[in-house]
Coordinates of all heavy atoms in Angstrom, one line a residue:
M1 N 7.8 -2.0 -11.1 CA 7.0 -0.8 -10.9 C 5.7 -1.2 -10.2 O 5.2 -2.3 -10.3 CB 6.6 -0.4 -12.3 CG 5.7 0.8 -12.3 SD 5.4 1.3 -14.1 CE 3.6 1.0 -14.2
I2 N 5.3 -0.3 -9.3 CA 4.2 -0.5 -8.5 C 3.2 0.6 -8.6 O 3.5 1.8 -8.6 CB 4.6 -0.6 -7.0 CG1 5.5 -1.8 -6.7 CG2 3.4 -0.7 -6.1 CD1 6.4 -1.6 -5.7
T3 N 1.9 0.3 -8.8 CA 0.9 1.3 -8.9 C 0.0 1.1 -7.7 O -0.4 0.0 -7.4 CB 0.1 1.3 -10.2 OG1 -0.5 0.0 -10.4 CG2 1.0 1.6 -11.4
L4 N -0.4 2.2 -7.1 CA -1.4 2.2 -6.0 C -2.6 2.9 -6.4 O -2.6 4.0 -6.9 CB -0.7 3.0 -4.9 CG -1.2 2.8 -3.4 CD1 -0.2 3.2 -2.5 CD2 -2.5 3.6 -3.3
A5 N -3.7 2.2 -6.3 CA -5.0 2.8 -6.8 C -6.0 2.6 -5.7 O -6.1 1.6 -5.0 CB -5.5 2.0 -8.1
N6 N -6.8 3.6 -5.6 CA -8.0 3.5 -4.7 C -9.1 4.2 -5.4 O -9.0 5.1 -6.2 CB -7.7 4.1 -3.2 CG -7.7 5.5 -3.2 OD1 -7.0 6.2 -4.0 ND2 -8.4 6.1 -2.3
A7 N -10.4 3.7 -5.0 CA -11.5 4.1 -5.7 C -11.7 5.6 -5.7 O -12.1 6.3 -6.7 CB -12.7 3.4 -5.2
G8 N -11.5 6.2 -4.6 CA -11.8 7.6 -4.5 C -10.7 8.5 -4.9 O -10.8 9.8 -5.1
G9 N -9.5 7.9 -5.3 CA -8.4 8.7 -5.8 C -7.5 9.3 -4.8 O -6.5 9.8 -5.0
E10 N -7.9 9.1 -3.6 CA -7.1 9.7 -2.5 C -7.4 9.0 -1.2 O -8.4 8.3 -1.0 CB -7.3 11.2 -2.3 CG -8.7 11.5 -2.0 CD -9.1 13.0 -2.1 OE1 -8.2 13.8 -2.8 OE2 -10.0 13.4 -1.5
L11 N -6.5 9.1 -0.2 CA -6.7 8.5 1.1 C -7.3 9.6 2.0 O -7.0 10.7 1.9 CB -5.3 8.0 1.6 CG -4.6 6.9 0.8 CD1 -3.3 6.7 1.4 CD2 -5.4 5.7 0.8
R12 N -8.1 9.1 2.9 CA -8.9 9.9 3.8 C -8.7 9.5 5.3 O -8.5 8.3 5.5 CB -10.4 10.0 3.5 CG -10.6 10.6 2.1 CD -12.1 11.0 2.0 NE -12.2 11.9 0.8 CZ -12.0 13.2 0.8 NH1 -11.7 13.8 1.9 NH2 -12.2 13.9 -0.2
Q13 N -8.8 10.4 6.2 CA -8.8 10.0 7.6 C -9.9 9.0 7.9 O -11.0 9.2 7.3 CB -9.0 11.3 8.4 CG -8.8 11.0 9.9 CD -8.9 12.3 10.7 OE1 -9.0 13.4 10.2 NE2 -8.9 12.1 12.0
G14 N -9.6 8.0 8.7 CA -10.6 7.0 8.9 C -10.4 5.8 8.1 O -9.3 5.5 7.7
S15 N -11.4 5.1 7.7 CA -11.2 3.8 7.1 C -11.2 4.0 5.5 O -11.8 4.9 5.0 CB -12.3 2.8 7.4 OG -13.6 3.3 7.1
N16 N -10.3 3.2 4.9 CA -10.1 3.3 3.5 C -10.0 1.9 2.9 O -9.6 1.0 3.5 CB -8.7 4.0 3.2 CG -8.7 5.5 3.6 OD1 -8.9 6.3 2.7 ND2 -8.5 5.8 4.8
Q17 N -10.4 1.8 1.6 CA -10.2 0.6 0.8 C -9.5 1.1 -0.4 O -9.9 1.9 -1.2 CB -11.6 0.0 0.4 CG -12.5 -0.5 1.5 CD -12.2 -1.9 2.0 OE1 -11.4 -2.5 1.3 NE2 -12.7 -2.3 3.1
F18 N -8.4 0.4 -0.7 CA -7.7 0.6 -2.0 C -7.0 -0.6 -2.5 O -6.9 -1.6 -1.8 CB -6.8 1.9 -1.9 CG -5.7 1.8 -0.8 CD1 -4.4 1.3 -1.1 CD2 -6.0 2.2 0.5 CE1 -3.5 1.3 0.0 CE2 -5.0 2.1 1.5 CZ -3.7 1.6 1.2
R19 N -6.4 -0.5 -3.7 CA -5.9 -1.7 -4.3 C -4.4 -1.3 -4.6 O -4.1 -0.2 -4.9 CB -6.4 -2.0 -5.7 CG -8.0 -2.2 -5.5 CD -8.6 -2.3 -7.0 NE -8.2 -3.6 -7.5 CZ -8.5 -4.0 -8.8 NH1 -9.0 -3.1 -9.6 NH2 -8.2 -5.2 -9.2
I20 N -3.6 -2.3 -4.5 CA -2.2 -2.1 -4.9 C -2.0 -3.1 -6.1 O -2.4 -4.3 -6.0 CB -1.2 -2.4 -3.8 CG1 -1.3 -1.4 -2.7 CG2 0.3 -2.5 -4.3 CD1 -0.6 -1.7 -1.4
E21 N -1.4 -2.7 -7.2 CA -1.1 -3.6 -8.3 C 0.4 -3.5 -8.6 O 1.0 -2.5 -8.5 CB -1.8 -3.0 -9.5 CG -3.4 -3.0 -9.4 CD -4.0 -2.5 -10.7 OE1 -3.4 -2.1 -11.7 OE2 -5.3 -2.5 -10.7
F22 N 0.8 -4.7 -8.7 CA 2.3 -4.9 -9.1 C 2.4 -5.2 -10.5 O 1.8 -6.1 -11.0 CB 2.9 -6.0 -8.3 CG 3.0 -5.7 -6.8 CD1 2.0 -5.9 -6.0 CD2 4.3 -5.3 -6.3 CE1 2.1 -5.6 -4.6 CE2 4.5 -4.9 -4.9 CZ 3.4 -5.1 -4.2
R23 N 3.1 -4.4 -11.3 CA 3.2 -4.6 -12.7 C 4.6 -4.6 -13.1 O 5.5 -3.8 -12.6 CB 2.4 -3.5 -13.5 CG 1.0 -3.6 -13.3 CD 0.2 -2.5 -14.1 NE -1.3 -2.6 -14.0 CZ -2.0 -3.4 -14.7 NH1 -1.4 -4.1 -15.8 NH2 -3.3 -3.5 -14.5
S24 N 5.0 -5.4 -14.1 CA 6.3 -5.4 -14.7 C 6.6 -4.1 -15.4 O 5.8 -3.5 -16.1 CB 6.3 -6.5 -15.8 OG 7.5 -6.3 -16.6
A25 N 7.8 -3.5 -15.1 CA 8.1 -2.2 -15.7 C 8.4 -2.4 -17.2 O 8.3 -1.5 -18.0 CB 9.4 -1.7 -15.1
R26 N 8.7 -3.6 -17.6 CA 9.0 -3.9 -19.0 C 7.8 -4.1 -19.9 O 7.6 -3.5 -20.9 CB 9.9 -5.2 -19.1 CG 11.1 -5.1 -20.1 CD 12.1 -6.2 -19.8 NE 11.7 -7.3 -19.0 CZ 11.2 -8.4 -19.5 NH1 11.1 -8.6 -20.8 NH2 10.9 -9.4 -18.7
T27 N 6.9 -5.0 -19.3 CA 5.7 -5.3 -20.1 C 4.4 -4.7 -19.6 O 3.4 -4.9 -20.3 CB 5.5 -6.9 -20.1 OG1 5.3 -7.3 -18.8 CG2 6.8 -7.5 -20.5
N28 N 4.4 -4.2 -18.4 CA 3.2 -3.7 -17.8 C 2.2 -4.7 -17.4 O 1.1 -4.4 -17.0 CB 2.5 -2.6 -18.7 CG 1.7 -1.7 -17.8 OD1 2.2 -1.2 -16.8 ND2 0.5 -1.3 -18.3
A29 N 2.6 -6.0 -17.5 CA 1.7 -7.1 -17.1 C 1.7 -7.2 -15.6 O 2.7 -6.9 -14.9 CB 2.2 -8.4 -17.7
L30 N 0.6 -7.6 -15.0 CA 0.5 -7.8 -13.6 C 1.4 -9.0 -13.2 O 1.6 -10.0 -13.9 CB -0.9 -8.3 -13.2 CG -1.9 -7.1 -13.3 CD1 -3.3 -7.6 -13.3 CD2 -1.7 -6.2 -12.0
V31 N 2.2 -8.8 -12.0 CA 3.1 -9.8 -11.6 C 2.7 -10.3 -10.1 O 2.4 -9.5 -9.3 CB 4.5 -9.2 -11.4 CG1 5.5 -10.1 -10.9 CG2 4.9 -8.7 -12.8
D32 N 2.6 -11.6 -10.0 CA 2.3 -12.2 -8.7 C 3.5 -12.1 -7.8 O 4.6 -12.6 -8.2 CB 1.9 -13.6 -8.9 CG 1.5 -14.3 -7.5 OD1 1.5 -13.6 -6.5 OD2 1.4 -15.5 -7.5
V33 N 3.5 -11.3 -6.7 CA 4.7 -11.2 -5.9 C 4.5 -11.9 -4.5 O 5.3 -11.7 -3.7 CB 4.8 -9.6 -5.6 CG1 5.3 -8.9 -6.9 CG2 3.7 -9.0 -4.9
G34 N 3.4 -12.8 -4.5 CA 3.3 -13.5 -3.3 C 2.7 -12.8 -2.1 O 1.7 -12.2 -2.2
T35 N 3.4 -12.8 -1.0 CA 2.9 -12.3 0.3 C 3.2 -10.8 0.3 O 4.3 -10.4 0.1 CB 3.5 -12.9 1.5 OG1 3.2 -14.3 1.4 CG2 2.9 -12.4 2.8
V36 N 2.2 -10.0 0.6 CA 2.4 -8.5 0.7 C 2.1 -7.9 2.0 O 1.1 -8.3 2.6 CB 1.6 -7.8 -0.4 CG1 1.7 -6.2 -0.3 CG2 2.1 -8.3 -1.9
R37 N 2.9 -7.0 2.5 CA 2.6 -6.3 3.8 C 2.7 -4.9 3.6 O 3.7 -4.4 2.9 CB 3.5 -6.8 4.9 CG 3.0 -8.1 5.5 CD 3.7 -8.5 6.8 NE 5.0 -8.8 6.5 CZ 5.9 -9.5 7.3 NH1 5.4 -9.9 8.6 NH2 7.1 -9.8 7.1
L38 N 1.9 -4.1 4.2 CA 1.9 -2.7 4.1 C 1.8 -2.1 5.5 O 0.8 -2.4 6.2 CB 0.8 -2.1 3.2 CG 0.7 -0.7 3.0 CD1 2.0 -0.1 2.3 CD2 -0.5 -0.3 2.2
G39 N 2.8 -1.3 5.8 CA 2.7 -0.6 7.1 C 2.6 0.9 6.9 O 3.0 1.5 5.9
A40 N 2.1 1.5 7.9 CA 1.9 3.1 7.8 C 2.3 3.7 9.2 O 1.7 3.2 10.2 CB 0.6 3.5 7.5
T41 N 3.2 4.6 9.1 CA 3.5 5.3 10.4 C 3.6 6.8 10.1 O 3.9 7.2 9.0 CB 4.9 4.8 10.9 OG1 5.9 5.0 9.9 CG2 4.9 3.4 11.4
M42 N 3.3 7.5 11.2 CA 3.4 9.0 11.1 C 4.3 9.4 12.3 O 4.0 9.1 13.4 CB 2.1 9.7 11.2 CG 2.2 11.2 11.1 SD 0.7 12.0 11.6 CE -0.1 12.1 10.0
T43 N 5.4 10.1 12.1 CA 6.2 10.6 13.1 C 5.8 12.1 13.3 O 5.8 12.9 12.4 CB 7.7 10.5 12.7 OG1 8.0 9.2 12.3 CG2 8.6 10.9 13.9
M44 N 5.5 12.4 14.6 CA 5.2 13.7 14.9 C 5.9 14.1 16.3 O 6.4 13.1 16.9 CB 3.7 14.0 15.0 CG 2.9 12.7 15.2 SD 1.1 13.0 14.9 CE 0.8 14.5 15.5
P45 N 6.0 15.4 16.6 CA 6.8 15.7 17.7 C 6.3 14.9 19.0 O 5.1 15.0 19.3 CB 6.5 17.2 17.9 CG 6.2 17.6 16.5 CD 5.5 16.4 15.9
G46 N 7.2 14.2 19.6 CA 6.8 13.5 20.9 C 6.0 12.2 20.8 O 5.7 11.6 21.7
M47 N 5.6 11.9 19.5 CA 4.9 10.6 19.4 C 5.0 10.0 18.0 O 5.4 10.7 17.0 CB 3.5 10.8 19.7 CG 2.7 11.7 18.8 SD 1.0 11.9 19.1 CE 0.3 10.3 18.7
A48 N 4.8 8.7 18.0 CA 4.7 8.0 16.6 C 3.4 7.4 16.5 O 2.9 6.7 17.4 CB 5.8 7.0 16.5
M49 N 2.7 7.6 15.4 CA 1.4 6.9 15.2 C 1.5 5.8 14.2 O 2.4 5.9 13.3 CB 0.4 7.9 14.6 CG 0.2 9.2 15.5 SD -0.9 10.4 14.7 CE -2.4 9.4 14.8
T50 N 0.7 4.9 14.4 CA 0.7 3.7 13.5 C -0.7 3.5 12.8 O -1.7 3.5 13.6 CB 1.1 2.4 14.2 OG1 2.3 2.6 14.9 CG2 1.3 1.2 13.3
G51 N -0.7 3.3 11.5 CA -2.0 3.1 10.9 C -2.2 1.5 10.9 O -1.3 0.7 11.0
T52 N -3.5 1.1 10.8 CA -3.8 -0.3 10.8 C -4.2 -0.6 9.2 O -5.1 0.0 8.7 CB -5.1 -0.5 11.6 OG1 -4.8 0.0 12.9 CG2 -5.3 -2.0 11.7
L53 N -3.4 -1.6 8.7 CA -3.6 -1.9 7.3 C -3.6 -3.5 7.2 O -2.7 -4.2 7.7 CB -2.5 -1.4 6.5 CG -2.3 0.2 6.4 CD1 -1.0 0.6 5.9 CD2 -3.5 0.7 5.5
S54 N -4.5 -4.0 6.5 CA -4.5 -5.4 6.2 C -4.5 -5.6 4.7 O -5.3 -4.9 3.9 CB -5.6 -6.2 6.9 OG -6.9 -5.8 6.3
V55 N -3.7 -6.5 4.1 CA -3.5 -6.7 2.7 C -4.1 -8.1 2.4 O -3.6 -9.1 3.0 CB -2.1 -6.6 2.2 CG1 -2.0 -6.8 0.8 CG2 -1.5 -5.3 2.7
T56 N -5.0 -8.2 1.4 CA -5.6 -9.4 1.0 C -5.4 -9.7 -0.6 O -5.7 -8.7 -1.3 CB -7.0 -9.5 1.3 OG1 -7.2 -9.1 2.6 CG2 -7.6 -10.9 1.0
P57 N -4.8 -10.8 -1.0 CA -4.6 -10.9 -2.4 C -6.1 -11.0 -3.1 O -7.0 -11.7 -2.6 CB -3.9 -12.3 -2.5 CG -3.4 -12.6 -1.2 CD -4.3 -11.9 -0.2
A58 N -6.2 -10.3 -4.2 CA -7.4 -10.4 -5.0 C -7.4 -11.6 -5.8 O -6.4 -12.4 -5.9 CB -7.6 -9.2 -5.8
A59 N -8.5 -11.9 -6.5 CA -8.6 -13.1 -7.4 C -7.5 -13.0 -8.5 O -6.9 -14.0 -8.9 CB -9.9 -13.2 -8.0
Q60 N -7.3 -11.8 -9.0 CA -6.3 -11.6 -10.1 C -4.9 -11.6 -9.6 O -4.6 -10.7 -8.7 CB -6.6 -10.4 -10.8 CG -6.0 -10.2 -12.2 CD -6.6 -9.1 -12.9 OE1 -7.2 -8.2 -12.4 NE2 -6.3 -8.9 -14.2
P61 N -4.0 -12.4 -10.0 CA -2.6 -12.4 -9.5 C -1.9 -11.0 -9.7 O -2.2 -10.4 -10.7 CB -1.8 -13.4 -10.3 CG -2.9 -14.3 -10.8 CD -4.2 -13.5 -11.0
G62 N -1.3 -10.5 -8.7 CA -0.6 -9.2 -8.8 C -1.5 -8.0 -8.3 O -1.0 -6.9 -8.1
V63 N -2.7 -8.4 -7.9 CA -3.7 -7.4 -7.4 C -3.9 -7.7 -5.9 O -4.2 -8.8 -5.5 CB -5.0 -7.3 -8.2 CG1 -5.9 -6.2 -7.6 CG2 -4.7 -7.0 -9.6
Y64 N -3.9 -6.7 -5.1 CA -4.0 -6.8 -3.7 C -5.0 -5.8 -3.1 O -4.9 -4.6 -3.5 CB -2.7 -6.7 -3.0 CG -1.7 -7.8 -3.4 CD1 -1.0 -7.7 -4.5 CD2 -1.6 -8.9 -2.5 CE1 -0.1 -8.7 -4.9 CE2 -0.7 -9.9 -2.9 CZ 0.0 -9.8 -4.1 OH 0.8 -10.9 -4.4
E65 N -5.9 -6.2 -2.3 CA -6.9 -5.3 -1.8 C -6.4 -4.9 -0.3 O -6.0 -5.7 0.4 CB -8.3 -6.0 -1.6 CG -8.8 -6.6 -2.9 CD -9.4 -5.4 -3.8 OE1 -9.5 -4.3 -3.3 OE2 -9.7 -5.8 -4.9
V66 N -6.5 -3.6 -0.1 CA -6.0 -3.1 1.3 C -7.1 -2.5 2.0 O -7.8 -1.6 1.4 CB -4.8 -2.1 1.1 CG1 -4.3 -1.7 2.4 CG2 -3.7 -2.7 0.2
A67 N -7.3 -2.8 3.2 CA -8.3 -2.2 4.1 C -7.4 -1.4 5.1 O -6.5 -2.1 5.8 CB -9.2 -3.2 4.7
G68 N -7.6 -0.2 5.2 CA -6.7 0.6 6.2 C -7.5 1.7 7.0 O -8.5 2.1 6.6
D69 N -6.9 1.9 8.1 CA -7.5 3.0 8.9 C -6.4 4.0 9.4 O -5.3 3.5 9.8 CB -8.1 2.4 10.2 CG -9.1 3.3 10.8 OD1 -10.3 3.4 10.4 OD2 -8.6 4.1 11.7
F70 N -6.6 5.2 9.1 CA -5.7 6.3 9.4 C -6.2 7.2 10.5 O -7.3 7.7 10.3 CB -5.2 7.1 8.2 CG -4.6 6.3 7.1 CD1 -5.4 5.8 6.1 CD2 -3.3 5.9 7.2 CE1 -4.8 5.1 5.1 CE2 -2.7 5.1 6.2 CZ -3.4 4.7 5.1
G71 N -5.5 7.3 11.6 CA -6.1 8.1 12.8 C -6.1 9.6 12.5 O -6.8 10.2 13.3
M72 N -5.3 10.0 11.6 CA -5.3 11.5 11.4 C -4.9 11.8 10.0 O -4.2 11.1 9.3 CB -4.5 12.3 12.4 CG -3.0 12.1 12.4 SD -2.2 13.1 13.7 CE -2.2 14.7 13.0
A73 N -5.3 13.0 9.5 CA -4.8 13.5 8.2 C -3.4 13.9 8.3 O -2.9 14.3 9.3 CB -5.7 14.6 7.8
G74 N -2.7 13.9 7.1 CA -1.4 14.4 7.0 C -0.5 13.4 6.2 O -1.1 12.7 5.5
S75 N 0.8 13.5 6.4 CA 1.7 12.7 5.7 C 2.2 11.5 6.4 O 2.8 11.5 7.4 CB 2.9 13.6 5.3 OG 3.8 12.9 4.5
W76 N 1.8 10.3 5.8 CA 2.1 9.1 6.4 C 3.3 8.4 5.6 O 3.3 8.5 4.4 CB 1.0 8.1 6.5 CG -0.1 8.5 7.4 CD1 -1.0 9.6 7.2 CD2 -0.4 8.0 8.6 NE1 -1.8 9.6 8.3 CE2 -1.5 8.6 9.2 CE3 0.2 6.9 9.4 CZ2 -2.0 8.3 10.5 CZ3 -0.4 6.6 10.6 CH2 -1.5 7.3 11.1
K77 N 4.2 7.8 6.3 CA 5.2 6.9 5.7 C 4.7 5.6 5.5 O 4.4 4.9 6.4 CB 6.5 7.0 6.5 CG 7.7 6.2 5.9 CD 8.8 6.1 6.8 CE 9.9 5.2 6.1 NZ 10.9 4.7 7.2
M78 N 4.7 5.1 4.3 CA 4.1 3.8 4.0 C 5.3 2.9 3.7 O 6.2 3.3 2.9 CB 3.2 3.9 2.7 CG 2.2 5.0 2.8 SD 0.9 4.8 4.0 CE -0.2 3.8 2.9
A79 N 5.3 1.7 4.2 CA 6.3 0.7 3.9 C 5.7 -0.5 3.4 O 4.9 -1.2 4.1 CB 7.1 0.4 5.3
L80 N 6.1 -0.7 2.1 CA 5.5 -1.9 1.4 C 6.6 -3.0 1.2 O 7.7 -2.7 0.8 CB 5.0 -1.3 0.0 CG 4.3 -2.4 -0.9 CD1 3.0 -2.8 -0.3 CD2 4.1 -1.7 -2.3
E81 N 6.2 -4.2 1.5 CA 7.1 -5.3 1.5 C 6.4 -6.5 0.7 O 5.2 -6.7 0.8 CB 7.4 -5.9 2.8 CG 8.2 -5.0 3.8 CD 8.4 -5.6 5.1 OE1 8.1 -6.7 5.3 OE2 9.0 -4.9 5.9
W82 N 7.2 -7.2 -0.2 CA 6.6 -8.3 -0.8 C 7.7 -9.4 -0.8 O 8.8 -9.2 -0.8 CB 6.1 -8.0 -2.1 CG 7.1 -7.5 -3.1 CD1 7.8 -8.2 -4.0 CD2 7.5 -6.1 -3.3 NE1 8.7 -7.3 -4.7 CE2 8.5 -6.0 -4.3 CE3 7.1 -4.9 -2.7 CZ2 9.1 -4.8 -4.6 CZ3 7.8 -3.7 -3.0 CH2 8.8 -3.7 -4.0
N83 N 7.2 -10.7 -0.9 CA 8.1 -11.8 -0.9 C 7.3 -13.0 -1.6 O 6.3 -13.4 -1.1 CB 8.4 -12.2 0.6 CG 9.5 -13.3 0.6 OD1 10.1 -13.6 -0.3 ND2 9.7 -13.8 1.8
G84 N 7.9 -13.5 -2.7 CA 7.2 -14.5 -3.4 C 8.0 -14.9 -4.6 O 9.1 -14.8 -4.7
P85 N 7.2 -15.5 -5.6 CA 7.9 -16.0 -6.8 C 8.7 -15.0 -7.6 O 9.7 -15.4 -8.3 CB 6.7 -16.4 -7.7 CG 5.5 -15.9 -7.0 CD 5.8 -15.6 -5.6
A86 N 8.4 -13.7 -7.5 CA 9.2 -12.7 -8.2 C 10.4 -12.2 -7.4 O 11.1 -11.3 -7.7 CB 8.3 -11.5 -8.6
G87 N 10.6 -12.8 -6.2 CA 11.6 -12.4 -5.3 C 11.0 -11.5 -4.2 O 9.9 -11.4 -4.0
R88 N 12.0 -11.0 -3.4 CA 11.7 -10.2 -2.2 C 12.1 -8.8 -2.4 O 13.1 -8.5 -3.1 CB 12.5 -10.8 -1.0 CG 12.4 -10.0 0.3 CD 13.5 -10.5 1.2 NE 13.3 -11.9 1.7 CZ 12.7 -12.1 2.9 NH1 12.3 -11.2 3.7 NH2 12.6 -13.4 3.2
G89 N 11.2 -7.9 -2.0 CA 11.5 -6.5 -2.2 C 10.7 -5.7 -1.3 O 9.8 -6.1 -0.5
S90 N 11.1 -4.4 -1.2 CA 10.4 -3.4 -0.4 C 10.6 -2.0 -0.9 O 11.5 -1.8 -1.6 CB 11.0 -3.4 1.0 OG 12.3 -3.1 1.1
T91 N 9.7 -1.2 -0.6 CA 9.8 0.2 -1.0 C 9.0 1.1 0.0 O 8.0 0.6 0.6 CB 9.2 0.5 -2.4 OG1 9.5 1.8 -2.8 CG2 7.7 0.2 -2.5
D92 N 9.5 2.3 0.3 CA 8.8 3.2 1.1 C 8.3 4.3 0.3 O 9.0 4.8 -0.8 CB 9.8 3.8 2.1 CG 10.2 2.8 3.2 OD1 9.7 1.7 3.2 OD2 11.1 3.1 3.9
F93 N 7.1 4.8 0.6 CA 6.6 6.0 -0.2 C 5.7 6.8 0.8 O 5.5 6.4 1.9 CB 5.9 5.6 -1.4 CG 4.6 4.7 -1.1 CD1 3.4 5.2 -1.0 CD2 4.8 3.3 -1.0 CE1 2.3 4.4 -0.7 CE2 3.7 2.5 -0.8 CZ 2.4 3.0 -0.6
E94 N 5.5 8.0 0.4 CA 4.7 9.0 1.1 C 3.2 8.8 0.8 O 2.9 8.8 -0.4 CB 5.2 10.4 0.7 CG 4.7 11.4 1.6 CD 5.8 11.9 2.5 OE1 6.7 11.2 2.7 OE2 5.7 13.2 2.9
G95 N 2.4 8.7 1.8 CA 1.0 8.6 1.5 C 0.3 9.9 2.2 O 0.3 10.0 3.4
G96 N -0.2 10.6 1.4 CA -0.9 11.9 1.8 C -2.4 11.5 2.2 O -3.2 11.0 1.4
V97 N -2.8 11.7 3.4 CA -4.2 11.4 3.9 C -4.8 12.7 4.2 O -4.3 13.6 4.9 CB -4.1 10.5 5.1 CG1 -5.4 10.4 5.7 CG2 -3.4 9.2 4.9
R98 N -6.0 12.9 3.6 CA -6.7 14.1 3.8 C -7.9 14.0 4.7 O -8.4 12.8 5.0 CB -7.3 14.5 2.4 CG -6.3 14.7 1.4 CD -6.8 15.1 0.1 NE -7.6 16.4 0.2 CZ -7.8 17.2 -0.8 NH1 -7.4 16.9 -2.0 NH2 -8.5 18.3 -0.6
Ligands
CU1 CU1 -0.2 12.1 13.6

């Protein structure tokens, strides 16, 4: 189970800071998943846009700080990947940017 949290409660056009937490679905405890990457793309007629995101592990295992920049508001496709002690995995989700 993955929870995505950011201070403002939502993503906004321009620069954003938010946290991603990886938690066990069974125990809800934070899980160290090793290396994490997050990509953001928006497909629109005639062009594809890419968001700039960098992921840094926080001091607490399983918590990752993300600095991101979104060039426009709308619906972004977010691709999250991880690889480490808990195995390798990925998930896609919709990120609404206002
Ligand atoms: Cu766009």
Side-chain angles (χ1 to χ4, degrees):
M1 179 177 114
I2 296 152
T3 56
L4 196 159
N6 75 309
E10 59 189 19
L11 300 173
R12 295 197 166 274
Q13 184 176 355
S15 61
N16 291 263
Q17 297 274 347
F18 55 97
R19 305 171 77 185
I20 297 173
E21 298 182 1
F22 290 82
R23 290 182 178 273
S24 161
R26 221 162 21 91
T27 64
N28 204 42
L30 287 162
V31 177
D32 180 10
V33 295
T35 304
V36 173
R37 278 192 290 203
L38 181 63
T41 54
M42 178 193 272
T43 307
M44 21 193 323
M47 65 179 291
M49 302 179 66
T50 306
T52 307
L53 296 162
S54 71
V55 182
T56 309
Q60 198 172 12
V63 179
Y64 296 81
E65 304 283 352
V66 185
D69 197 87
F70 300 99
M72 68 181 282
S75 178
W76 289 77
K77 183 188 172 195
M78 315 284 276
L80 183 63
E81 295 176 5
W82 60 94
N83 189 10
R88 176 193 292 261
S90 65
T91 187
D92 290 351
F93 59 95
E94 192 107 332
V97 174
R98 300 178 61 159

